[in-house]
Amino acid sequence: MADALTADPRSLSAKRPGAIILARHGEPALSRDVVLTAVGYREFWAKYEAGGLRPGQAPPAALMDQIAAAGAVISSVRTRSVESAVALCRGRDFVRDEMFVEAPLPPPNWPGFVKLAPRTWGFLARFWWWFFDHHEGGETRRQAEARADQAASRIEALAADGRDVVVLAHGFFNFMVGRALRRRGWKMTANQGWKYWSTRRYERP
């Protein structure tokens, strides 16, 4: 009883969880300097999903330091994410997890005379998928949201011991995982936007 009365109150409370850093992969090798039909964009996206990083990139030093200090590092199984993790981890182990792959991007079925840049097709495909449930037999928004919630639960458990967790994955699915974390009470404390190698940091208040 005396020990309990004289102990530092902070040692009796639950340990504060570590931060969760959701990072986007580096720049892919596949050029976006093209214009495509809807059919062409489907082929482009398939190549994008299978491809790796553009050679010669220098990962941000700040992100490398965050990974060096983290208790756990997770990568999507897509090549561009795995290669990003290899470049950032500098020999340390990381986990490859298919749960963190990007949400699908089937474009709307517009006629062949409509030709757009991949970035524009990506925006339209995401809009159609998000608001009109255009999935063409693939993962639906509801299914992806359930996957994002499961992913949030997994990394929340890893952060419970007080060590940071870094996830190297994809722009939109990271956004969805971030929404799931906020629903669980996490607060986004830093946001570098949508660019390659960018991060979003979440902490428990």
Side-chain angles (χ1 to χ4, degrees):
M1 183 68 174
D3 289 343
L5 292 174
T6 57
D8 184 340
R10 290 173 297 181
S11 68
L12 301 177
S13 61
K15 181 181 290 187
R16 183 179 180 181
I20 293 172
I21 297 100
L22 303 180
R24 192 182 182 196
H25 55 76
E27 182 181 354
L30 187 62
S31 172
R32 294 189 177 191
D33 190 20
V34 292
V35 290
L36 305 164
T37 64
V39 172
Y41 179 72
R42 285 187 180 86
E43 296 171 353
F44 173 92
W45 179 251
K47 292 177 182 177
Y48 184 89
E49 282 283 79
L53 295 183
R54 179 181 60 78
Q57 296 179 64
L63 182 52
M64 295 178 80
D65 291 342
Q66 287 177 312
I67 284 180
V73 180
I74 302 173
S75 165
S76 156
V77 297
R78 294 291 184 254
T79 302
R80 60 192 186 277
S81 292
V82 172
E83 290 183 357
S84 299
V86 169
L88 286 160
C89 286
R90 293 177 285 189
R92 76 166 287 177
D93 291 336
F94 62 93
V95 175
R96 296 165 173 82
D97 194 332
E98 64 183 6
M99 183 180 293
F100 293 89
V101 300
E102 183 61 293
L105 273 178
N109 294 307
W110 288 357
F113 62 79
V114 178
K115 295 184 178 181
L116 303 168
R119 192 179 302 276
T120 305
W121 276 121
F123 170 81
L124 292 169
R126 184 64 67 214
F127 184 90
W128 253 248
W129 179 79
W130 186 265
F131 291 104
F132 301 115
D133 199 29
H134 178 72
H135 55 81
E136 297 185 352
E139 187 177 42
T140 66
R141 173 183 169 180
R142 179 174 293 183
Q143 290 169 335
E145 286 181 315
R147 177 164 63 91
D149 189 65
Q150 187 178 359
S153 178
R154 181 171 300 183
I155 53 181
E156 186 177 47
L158 289 172
D161 68 356
R163 298 181 298 169
D164 294 351
V165 178
V166 179
V167 176
L168 289 159
H170 310 275
F172 199 82
F173 193 69
N174 278 354
F175 161 75
M176 296 182 73
V177 173
R179 291 176 79 239
L181 288 171
R182 290 195 297 274
R183 287 194 295 267
R184 292 165 177 264
W186 292 76
K187 181 179 179 181
M188 185 166 60
T189 58
N191 180 3
Q192 294 182 340
W194 299 96
K195 62 184 181 293
Y196 297 119
W197 302 111
S198 63
T199 62
R200 296 184 180 201
R201 183 182 181 91
Y202 295 85
E203 299 179 77
R204 290 302 295 260

